[in-house]
């Protein structure tokens, strides 16, 4: 790879700073807990229903994250996105061009739009007939699929062992709020830097790690999924699914783009690329 010119390095640095500013602005607004019509329903949900929902989230997430790789490979466009990313990176090895960076962002945006539309249709359809619980594994699969495809657009493969703890950090960041979200976001950035700097990292994911993430996810979705199971009014499920996919998509786009730009600024290819 030829050495970067000062102009190219400055372009990458400006794009990195611009992305960080957009991310900060997003967290300042999206990270603030907002009142929802569903908030008052939490106290009215029967304890058995809460336990059933929490159990469904835990079981579904544990399985998909630990054993669901073959399924997620089948329903995602990760391989195609990785091929496209490799072609873009070859172009960027020759010259850092703003149009190439924009093209990569456009591909990430197209994956976001497709995932949100599919999840909204699926959620609304099941909600109308009063189905909440069966929707949970489908939604969890869509959340992971969305994150994985955006990562692939930026040249990062979720199947790499080092990426497993990073995925969990990303999910915790996306589905938390306020100061907790800020702390998770910083931890996510530090973990990404550790991976991209090729520092020693223990990729082992414990049951406690999975438990923590499943609780964060359940806390964000529990009320909505209960309402979705109440027929007719459950049509809100489409809106809820769209909002949840948007959360993970926006955060994944910021985080993976920053890692992509950081690697380019380091002027070296990652071993897995």
């Amino acid at each position: 790879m030829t050495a970067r010119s000062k102009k190219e390095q400055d372009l990458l640095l400006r794009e990195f700073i611009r992305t960080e500013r957009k991310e900060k602005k997003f967290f300042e607004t999206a990270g603030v807990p907002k009142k929802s019509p569903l908030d008052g329903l939490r106290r009215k949900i029967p304890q058995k229903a809460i336990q059933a929902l929490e159990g469904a989230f835990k079981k579904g997430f544990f399985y998909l994250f630990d054993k669901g790789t073959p399924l997620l490979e089948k329903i995602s466009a990760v391989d195609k996105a990785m091929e496209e990313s490799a072609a873009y990176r070859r172009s960027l090895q020759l010259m850092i061009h703003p149009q190439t960076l924009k093209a990569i962002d456009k591909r990430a945006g197209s994956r976001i739009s497709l995932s949100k539309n599919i999840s909204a249709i699926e959620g609304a359809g099941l909600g109308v007939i009063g189905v909440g619980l069966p929707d949970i594994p489908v939604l969890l699969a869509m959340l992971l699929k969305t994150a994985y495809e955006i990562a692939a657009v930026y040249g990062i493969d979720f199947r790499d062992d080092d990426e497993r703890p990073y995925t969990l950090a990303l999910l915790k960041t996306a589905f938390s709020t306020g100061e907790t979200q800020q702390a998770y976001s910083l931890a996510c950035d530090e973990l990404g830097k550790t991976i991209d700097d090729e520092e020693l990292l223990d990729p082992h994911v414990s049951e406690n790690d999975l438990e923590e993430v499943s609780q964060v996810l359940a806390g964000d979705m529990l009320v909505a999924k209960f309402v979705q199971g109440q027929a007719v009014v459950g049509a809100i499920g489409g809106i809820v699914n769209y909002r949840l996919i948007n959360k993970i998509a926006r955060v994944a786009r910021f985080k993976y783009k920053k890692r992509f730009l950081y690697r380019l600024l380091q002027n070296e290819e990652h071993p897995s690329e």
Side-chain angles (χ1 to χ4, degrees):
M1 180 189 293
T2 57
R4 304 273 187 233
S5 68
K6 184 178 185 304
K7 182 178 180 180
E8 289 177 309
Q9 287 292 102
D10 288 346
L11 191 158
L12 289 171
L13 185 58
R14 286 197 303 272
E15 189 63 22
F16 186 90
I17 292 172
R18 185 181 299 115
T19 303
E20 278 202 320
R21 287 174 177 169
K22 288 182 178 179
E23 180 188 50
K24 181 180 179 181
K25 185 177 180 180
F26 171 74
F27 283 141
E28 286 174 349
T29 55
V32 176
K34 297 178 177 64
K35 289 186 177 181
S36 165
L38 302 179
D39 290 343
L41 294 173
R42 184 179 294 272
R43 298 187 303 273
K44 301 178 182 179
I45 300 178
Q47 188 60 35
K48 286 187 178 180
I50 290 176
Q51 292 174 350
L53 286 163
E54 289 178 339
F57 273 102
K58 180 178 177 180
K59 184 177 180 180
F61 181 72
F62 273 43
Y63 177 81
L64 283 170
F65 190 80
D66 200 39
K67 307 291 185 183
T69 298
L71 169 64
L72 291 167
E73 285 178 330
K74 288 181 180 179
I75 67 172
S76 71
V78 168
D79 288 333
K80 181 179 179 181
M82 289 295 293
E83 290 176 4
E84 292 174 345
S85 177
Y88 283 126
R89 292 198 307 279
R90 286 193 292 270
S91 174
L92 290 169
Q93 286 175 30
L94 299 175
M95 183 178 70
I96 301 296
H97 196 286
Q99 292 304 317
T100 306
L101 297 177
K102 288 181 181 178
I104 295 170
D105 280 344
K106 186 176 181 180
R107 293 301 300 159
S110 68
R111 300 315 311 167
I112 293 172
S113 297
L114 180 61
S115 293
K116 287 193 295 188
N117 289 338
I118 292 174
S119 67
I121 293 170
E122 173 269 324
L126 289 176
V128 167
I129 60 175
V131 176
L133 284 175
D135 172 61
I136 290 173
V138 177
L139 176 58
L140 289 172
M142 288 300 299
L143 291 174
L144 289 172
K145 172 182 179 292
T146 300
Y148 293 156
E149 288 181 351
I150 293 172
V153 169
Y154 291 108
I156 297 172
D157 194 334
F158 79 95
R159 292 164 292 197
D160 293 344
D161 287 343
D162 285 354
E163 294 300 327
R164 286 171 58 80
Y166 186 84
T167 299
L168 296 182
L170 186 75
L171 289 168
K172 286 189 288 187
T173 301
F175 296 104
S176 53
T177 57
E179 293 182 359
T180 301
Q181 185 177 59
Q182 293 176 21
Y184 280 146
S185 178
L186 289 173
C188 187
D189 288 342
E190 286 298 317
L191 185 57
K193 189 174 183 297
T194 297
I195 296 170
D196 297 332
D197 285 342
E198 303 172 43
E199 298 177 10
L200 291 177
L201 174 71
D202 181 5
H204 174 68
V205 172
S206 70
E207 185 170 331
N208 287 338
D209 295 327
L210 294 173
E211 179 84 33
E212 183 179 4
V213 177
S214 65
Q215 287 178 351
V216 172
L217 289 168
D220 194 288
M221 305 177 196
L222 188 145
V223 177
K225 289 302 159 189
F226 175 77
V227 172
Q228 186 178 338
Q230 304 307 301
V232 185
V233 70
I236 196 173
I239 300 173
V240 170
N241 285 6
Y242 188 95
R243 178 179 64 82
L244 295 171
I245 292 293
N246 187 58
K247 274 188 177 184
I248 188 63
R250 293 288 298 276
V251 172
R253 195 172 184 181
F254 287 129
K255 295 301 185 187
Y256 285 119
K257 181 178 180 179
K258 287 199 304 180
R259 289 182 60 188
F260 171 74
L261 292 170
Y262 178 78
R263 290 182 179 185
L264 289 175
L265 281 163
Q266 296 304 104
N267 199 28
E268 60 186 15
E269 288 293 313
H270 193 263
S272 66
E273 294 176 350

